[in-house]
Amino acid sequence: MVSRKCQSGNMSSRKGLNGACSVHEYAGSFIGQSAHFKMTSVCGHVMTLDFIGKYNSWDKVDPAELFSKAPTEKKEANPKLTMVKFLQVEGRGCDCIVLWLDCDKEGENICFEVLDAVLPVMNKPRSTERTIYRAKFSSITDTDICNAMNHLGEPNRNEALSVDARQELDLRIGCAFTRFQTKYFQGKYGNLDSSLISFGPCQTPTLGFCVERHDKIQSFKPETYWVLQAKVNPEKESSLTLDWDRVRVFDREIAQMFLSITKMAKEAKVESVSKKEKVKQRPLALNTVEMLRVASAALGMGPQHAMQIAERLYTQGYISYPRTETTHYPENFDLKGCLRQQANNPYWAETVKALLSEGVNRPRKGHDAGDHPPITPMRAATEAELGGDGWRLYEYITRHFIATVSADCKYLQTTISFSIGPERFTCIGKVVTSPGFTAIMPWHSIPLEESLPHCEKGDLFPIGEIKLLEKQTSPPDYLTEAELITLMEKHGIGTDASIPVHINNICQRNYVTVESGRRLKPTNLGIVLVHGYYKIDAELVLPTIRSAVEKQLNLIALGKANYHQVLEHTLDIFKRKFHYFVDSIAGMDELMEVSFSPLAATGKPLSRCGKCHRFMKYIQAKPSRLHCSHCDDTYSLPQNGTIKLYKELRCPLDDFELVLWSSGSRGKSYPLCPYCYNHPPFRDMKKGMGCNECTHPTCQHSLSMLGIGQCVECENGVLVLDSTSGPKWKMACNKCNVIVHFFENAHKVRVSPETCDLCDAALVDVDFNKAKSPLPGDETQHSGCIFCDPVFQDLVELKHAAMRHPMHRGGQGKRQGRGRGKGRRPGGRLNSKKPKDKMAALAAYFAFQGEWKQGSARNKSGGGAFLWIIILHNPM
């Protein structure tokens, strides 16, 4: 662990043991007693819900068991962060805890995850002594922080339970349907081009909205209609276009008749002139859904991207909490204070100063959901500070806020009604009398129109032209993200926090593509799935059942429904639907056959099957795999790379031809046996392991023969020689993404059976061409340890996208050698995600007892919710 102390006033800061979360300490008083404060953070959820070990196997478990039989457990959300251990170390011996996590249902859930970790190591309270406190706040401002501190409450168990219920429902329902339909369809069709055929109680109705619009477009039949257009000349060099009061007719002969009648008239007579003052209301205060709609429609940002930016702006103190359903400001909200913050910004300073001097308008009365105030700018910012999308979103939020306290837009609407023969025509003109909020939101301004002539009833104007326009009705366009968000909100699909996730999921699964204008066009796979659900059980895709579930979850949060009863009842419904879906899958199969090719007709011959010795076909579309049409067997392959035949070499265990997987010239590559990859031959191997993790004692491609030493980055990985990489030789960790380049231009590199006396790593034999040998004394061959041998020291270079430390060399303790690592899944490095700025800001605020200025004690770290752990010096 790297530890660093930095003093700021009477506050000290250091890194926690996981290297990701900072700890700020200072002395102060709490509930009238001297206390030592620790403030630290978590990075999102501490725990996640998952099935216990064996139920995570797709091959060994019937998906139907996931509804009730499969036990679940809470696991650390990110084991590499060791968040539970970190919290326990910091919380040991403390007396009280104050939870400053985000004030929504997810935040309440995280509160109890923190408490589960910390309470066992805290000092035991005496009798009814209170030790757990919850701070409620909506922004990182002096006022909100002090108010939260002066009104500490308790975490809400019911809201936390509603999140637990949603997590378990989504896990059990989603996994059961996803596993079944993924295995079923990928086992039959080769060009689905999606690695996962997922189902989600919210995701699937979201896709349903997109496909419903697609179906309307496809079934649309254009109709021809006719419009009568007239132009009058109020003055010699000006003309006025009139709108027909009938709007349009769908019969050509009737339209022609109206044209003939009106052409008989030479003048248009003014039948009436009306003038009316109208008002365009200023917008309601901004909530999450409206922000996401505007971000997509006007700023071109996807909902998930927009939400990430909003969260960053919030944690940096620029805006209030961005997850809220409320569009109504409380009576005591300091509107003028927020407005004064914007008085010096050159883009809107003039408007703001005018409002402050003339008086702010009370925002319109909107919906009060009882969660957080509307999204509001909390401090001034410049484009240089925020940059790019951050500034664009902040600018919109600020303009929207200023608009809510501005006056309504007022305009005068003049309507002139004309008669041409028996037919009536109308002309409308608008003149702005007071721009109001449109001065700050010009895209909402009343469009400039041609000014209407001054006239009175009975006036006559010469007719310039009368003609018949032939037009056709047009189909609706594909849904925009903004329209989809509106539909999801209307039907209760997802929450303000989860809506962006569901939209992102249907894009990631290749169910829809994002077209120009951020319109969502369903793919063949998305269309067939939705049509199949409609054919088997429409409730799987209609929003009604999920909307009903969301209402039940809200009742749990309000304490009006029993957590266990809601869970049991909902799972029972979906379990019955699942069994019916499985029994009726042939109905969806019929639709799939029309759009997708069977496995046997897909792909190209690549390698030979070890059973029948015929060529298997390589299916490149996601998920890439090999299929033997003779044996009717399909073999999974590593994803996100290229596959090619590996020198026509065969596995000594099953006679399958080996293939080589590569992530590119700068990445790693390794051979694998298709059969062993799917059916591990040894007990210490798992499905999905290549030759670089195979423990076969004599195979020339195995870990036993090519493993060199323990990875310098992760605990359980082994660095394995990539025997295909010459002349730019390298070895790569078989668990993480570390790559070591060495011995460039060597003629041959071989792993020796001998090991290093200092570190137990395998020795390496290197053979250079005489003309390119970097070895001393013009030698061409050398055998030694790449970690300890000084001759090799300058010939070895570590490459890693995000290395935390240089590669160790020399005899610094024993290395694992060529044994396999245990207990850790393959994959990247320790997550370097850091706690958010708001935690340092709050710590500084209270450490300096109110003398803190915004930004003065902020670090430049990235995300996490935060909490206080308090040690009372003299508990009474």
Side-chain angles (χ1 to χ4, degrees):
M1 179 183 74
V2 177
S3 182
R4 179 173 62 84
K5 287 269 185 178
C6 64
Q7 293 293 329
S8 179
N10 61 347
M11 181 184 76
S12 66
S13 299
R14 59 181 168 82
K15 283 289 182 186
L17 65 85
N18 62 7
C21 298
S22 297
V23 182
H24 305 277
E25 298 187 60
Y26 54 91
S29 64
F30 183 70
I31 54 175
Q33 301 179 55
S34 296
H36 177 78
F37 291 82
K38 286 185 186 179
M39 180 170 250
T40 189
S41 69
V42 293
C43 299
H45 275 281
V46 178
M47 310 299 287
T48 187
L49 189 71
D50 201 359
F51 296 111
I52 64 168
K54 76 169 190 174
Y55 288 94
N56 281 315
S57 170
W58 285 40
D59 299 318
K60 296 177 181 178
V61 176
D62 181 352
E65 294 182 31
L66 301 181
F67 284 99
S68 52
K69 290 184 180 179
T72 59
E73 62 179 342
K74 290 273 190 178
K75 299 177 181 177
E76 284 206 52
N78 191 338
K80 294 173 188 175
L81 287 178
T82 58
M83 192 61 72
V84 171
K85 182 179 178 182
F86 163 69
L87 290 171
Q88 289 178 342
V89 168
E90 298 300 337
R92 189 173 299 280
C94 291
D95 300 289
C96 302
I97 183 167
V98 181
L99 299 152
W100 289 79
L101 292 107
D102 290 341
C103 297
D104 58 9
K105 292 181 182 122
E106 295 291 337
E108 296 303 314
N109 192 262
I110 298 172
C111 281
F112 287 94
E113 292 174 355
V114 170
L115 291 174
D116 288 342
V118 172
L119 286 180
V121 299
M122 287 176 59
N123 292 334
K124 302 298 179 188
R126 292 189 299 272
S127 62
T128 59
E129 186 181 19
R130 185 181 172 191
T131 59
I132 300 167
Y133 299 86
R134 176 74 162 108
K136 295 280 187 178
F137 59 100
S138 296
S139 64
I140 314 300
T141 62
D142 297 17
T143 305
D144 252 29
I145 293 170
C146 283
N147 188 55
M149 187 61 191
N150 293 329
H151 299 87
L152 294 175
E154 295 181 359
N156 189 319
R157 172 69 71 176
N158 290 327
E159 288 190 359
L161 283 174
S162 74
V163 174
D164 284 339
R166 179 181 282 107
Q167 287 178 350
E168 186 163 349
L169 289 174
D170 289 349
L171 176 72
R172 291 185 181 277
I173 296 167
C175 284
F177 278 91
T178 297
R179 289 186 191 183
F180 170 74
Q181 63 186 25
T182 298
K183 290 186 69 178
Y184 184 85
F185 292 123
Q186 286 184 353
K188 294 191 71 173
Y189 304 101
N191 57 341
L192 297 174
D193 200 25
S194 182
S195 54
L196 198 68
I197 316 298
S198 65
F199 175 94
C202 286
Q203 171 195 298
T204 304
T206 302
L207 174 62
F209 290 130
C210 299
V211 175
E212 182 183 11
R213 177 60 64 89
H214 167 84
D215 291 342
K216 287 180 180 177
I217 294 169
Q218 296 302 307
S219 61
F220 183 83
K221 293 180 180 178
E223 288 186 81
T224 304
Y225 64 91
W226 289 264
V227 175
L228 206 56
Q229 188 184 80
K231 289 184 179 180
V232 297
N233 299 323
E235 296 176 7
K236 287 184 179 180
E237 295 184 359
S238 66
S239 65
L240 202 62
T241 302
L242 309 182
D243 296 320
W244 192 21
D245 284 8
R246 293 184 190 273
V247 183
R248 61 185 179 179
V249 293
F250 288 88
D251 189 305
R252 182 181 176 83
E253 290 184 5
I254 292 175
Q256 197 67 48
M257 178 194 72
F258 285 127
L259 177 64
S260 301
I261 293 171
T262 52
K263 274 197 168 183
M264 294 169 64
K266 301 298 181 185
E267 292 179 316
K269 182 181 179 183
V270 177
E271 295 293 337
S272 65
V273 179
S274 66
K275 292 188 178 184
K276 191 174 183 181
E277 196 171 78
K278 292 204 166 187
V279 172
K280 184 172 185 178
Q281 283 190 313
R282 58 193 180 277
L284 286 168
L286 187 64
N287 66 3
T288 306
V289 170
E290 181 62 19
M291 180 190 71
L292 295 177
R293 272 198 288 255
V294 173
S296 176
L299 305 180
M301 297 181 196
Q304 191 164 41
H305 178 55
M307 202 67 226
Q308 289 168 350
I309 292 170
E311 287 170 354
R312 178 166 58 82
L313 291 173
Y314 161 64
T315 58
Q316 292 173 340
Y318 290 107
I319 65 172
S320 63
Y321 193 59
R323 293 195 186 104
T324 177
E325 297 175 14
T326 295
T327 57
H328 176 73
Y329 281 108
E331 295 298 322
N332 61 349
F333 193 90
D334 187 10
L335 296 168
K336 284 188 177 180
C338 293
L339 203 56
R340 286 191 196 100
Q341 296 272 1
Q342 306 298 330
N344 296 318
N345 189 297
Y347 290 102
W348 43 73
E350 192 177 324
T351 305
V352 169
K353 288 174 182 175
L355 282 170
L356 289 171
S357 63
E358 297 167 11
V360 267
N361 290 277
R362 187 71 199 162
R364 289 168 56 196
K365 186 173 177 62
H367 169 65
D368 185 0
D371 49 359
H372 289 271
I375 303 168
T376 308
M378 301 312 295
R379 67 184 177 112
T382 63
E383 190 170 359
E385 277 180 74
L386 304 180
D389 288 345
W391 166 255
R392 292 167 64 223
L393 187 61
Y394 173 83
E395 181 186 14
Y396 169 72
I397 291 169
T398 305
R399 287 183 180 274
H400 191 109
F401 167 69
I402 297 170
T404 61
V405 294
S406 298
D408 292 336
C409 172
K410 295 178 182 178
Y411 61 94
L412 185 66
Q413 179 171 296
T414 303
T415 305
I416 305 174
S417 180
F418 292 88
S419 62
I420 302 177
E423 290 304 296
R424 288 293 184 100
F425 294 81
T426 303
C427 188
I428 296 174
K430 298 172 184 174
V431 177
V432 175
T433 56
S434 174
F437 78 93
T438 61
I440 195 69
M441 299 178 86
W443 56 92
H444 282 305
S445 59
I446 304 297
L448 291 172
E449 295 180 352
E450 193 175 357
S451 59
L452 297 183
H454 176 74
C455 59
E456 296 178 359
K457 182 178 179 180
D459 287 352
L460 299 174
F461 291 98
I463 297 172
E465 179 185 31
I466 295 181
K467 61 181 178 180
L468 203 60
L469 302 178
E470 183 177 312
K471 296 185 178 183
Q472 279 195 327
T473 54
S474 56
D477 212 334
Y478 286 103
L479 283 178
T480 62
E481 285 173 332
E483 291 168 336
L484 179 57
I485 290 167
T486 302
L487 285 170
M488 293 174 73
E489 182 191 33
K490 177 183 175 183
H491 292 280
I493 300 300
T495 63
D496 51 3
S498 66
I499 282 174
V501 178
H502 301 315
I503 296 175
N504 186 62
N505 281 344
I506 63 174
C507 296
Q508 294 291 321
R509 299 287 183 261
N510 195 33
Y511 293 162
V512 300
T513 57
V514 182
E515 305 292 315
S516 62
R518 302 208 67 85
R519 294 191 178 275
L520 302 171
K521 183 178 181 180
T523 61
N524 278 344
L525 179 57
I527 294 165
V528 170
L529 282 174
V530 169
H531 289 174
Y533 295 136
Y534 271 116
K535 190 172 184 180
I536 296 172
D537 182 355
E539 284 191 336
L540 292 176
V541 72
L542 288 172
T544 47
I545 192 165
R546 181 60 192 192
S547 179
V549 171
E550 287 289 346
K551 288 176 182 175
Q552 291 297 311
L553 295 175
N554 286 332
L555 289 176
I556 293 175
L558 295 170
K560 296 179 179 179
N562 182 275
Y563 162 79
H564 296 288
Q565 289 177 353
V566 170
L567 205 61
E568 186 179 341
H569 176 68
T570 306
L571 287 174
D572 182 60
I573 291 171
F574 274 96
K575 183 178 181 180
R576 294 169 188 269
K577 288 183 174 296
F578 176 78
H579 284 297
Y580 184 74
F581 180 73
V582 171
D583 293 342
S584 311
I585 196 66
M588 189 180 282
D589 231 1
E590 293 171 1
L591 301 175
M592 284 281 188
E593 288 170 356
V594 176
S595 299
F596 302 103
S597 305
L599 277 174
T602 312
K604 58 182 180 180
L606 180 68
S607 64
R608 290 186 183 273
C609 171
K611 297 178 181 178
C612 66
H613 300 288
R614 290 178 168 86
F615 276 105
M616 296 187 291
K617 284 188 174 182
Y618 172 48
I619 299 163
Q620 201 165 354
K622 290 182 182 181
S624 58
R625 53 211 191 273
L626 287 167
H627 178 70
C628 177
S629 54
H630 184 265
C631 302
D632 196 22
D633 286 332
T634 304
Y635 301 96
S636 300
L637 294 171
Q639 302 299 305
N640 304 317
T642 58
I643 294 285
K644 61 183 180 181
L645 190 63
Y646 185 54
K647 304 177 184 177
E648 296 186 355
L649 298 173
R650 294 178 181 267
C651 175
L653 294 173
D654 48 47
D655 211 29
F656 274 72
E657 281 188 333
L658 303 183
V659 294
L660 182 73
W661 177 86
S662 173
S663 62
S665 58
R666 295 184 179 181
K668 55 197 267 188
S669 59
Y670 56 84
L672 62 107
C673 164
Y675 190 83
C676 294
Y677 187 82
N678 290 270
H679 305 91
F682 304 113
R683 286 185 178 180
D684 57 356
M685 289 182 65
K686 295 179 181 177
K687 185 176 179 179
M689 288 184 172
C691 296
N692 63 344
E693 295 184 80
C694 177
T695 52
H696 192 291
T698 60
C699 176
Q700 60 179 320
H701 315 293
S702 71
L703 171 67
S704 305
M705 300 300 287
L706 297 178
I708 294 176
Q710 181 183 355
C711 177
V712 298
E713 178 74 2
C714 66
E715 294 177 6
N716 301 313
V718 177
L719 294 169
V720 182
L721 174 66
D722 183 349
S723 56
T724 68
S725 59
K728 295 186 177 182
W729 297 93
K730 60 188 175 185
M731 59 180 176
C733 177
N734 60 6
K735 296 289 185 185
C736 72
N737 293 324
V738 166
I739 297 173
V740 179
H741 293 266
F742 53 10
F743 316 130
E744 188 169 352
N745 295 319
H747 174 63
K748 186 182 294 183
V749 177
R750 186 177 65 85
V751 180
S752 168
E754 299 178 12
T755 59
C756 174
D757 294 333
L758 291 174
C759 70
D760 205 29
L763 301 185
V764 178
D765 300 329
V766 187
D767 186 355
F768 283 97
N769 291 323
K770 189 169 185 178
K772 296 183 178 181
S773 176
L775 299 175
D778 294 329
E779 293 184 9
T780 58
Q781 294 182 339
H782 187 79
S783 180
C785 173
I786 65 164
F787 299 104
C788 307
D789 194 325
V791 175
F792 283 163
Q793 197 159 23
D794 294 330
L795 305 179
V796 180
E797 181 185 7
L798 186 70
K799 293 286 186 184
H800 192 287
M803 275 302 297
R804 295 194 309 278
H805 51 257
M807 187 180 74
H808 302 295
R809 294 195 181 97
Q812 299 175 11
K814 289 284 183 179
R815 289 188 173 273
Q816 186 176 322
R818 289 178 286 160
R820 282 183 22 77
K822 295 180 182 179
R824 196 176 211 183
R825 294 182 298 165
R829 63 189 180 87
L830 180 68
N831 189 334
S832 61
K833 191 176 183 183
K834 298 176 183 177
K836 301 192 176 183
D837 293 350
K838 60 183 179 182
M839 188 262 288
L842 273 169
Y845 181 88
F846 286 109
F848 289 103
Q849 300 177 2
E851 295 178 7
W852 167 76
K853 295 179 180 178
Q854 287 182 337
S856 62
R858 294 177 184 277
N859 57 34
K860 293 183 179 179
S861 45
F866 50 93
L867 53 136
W868 271 353
I869 298 169
I870 300 169
I871 305 170
L872 297 176
H873 290 314
N874 299 301
M876 299 298 292

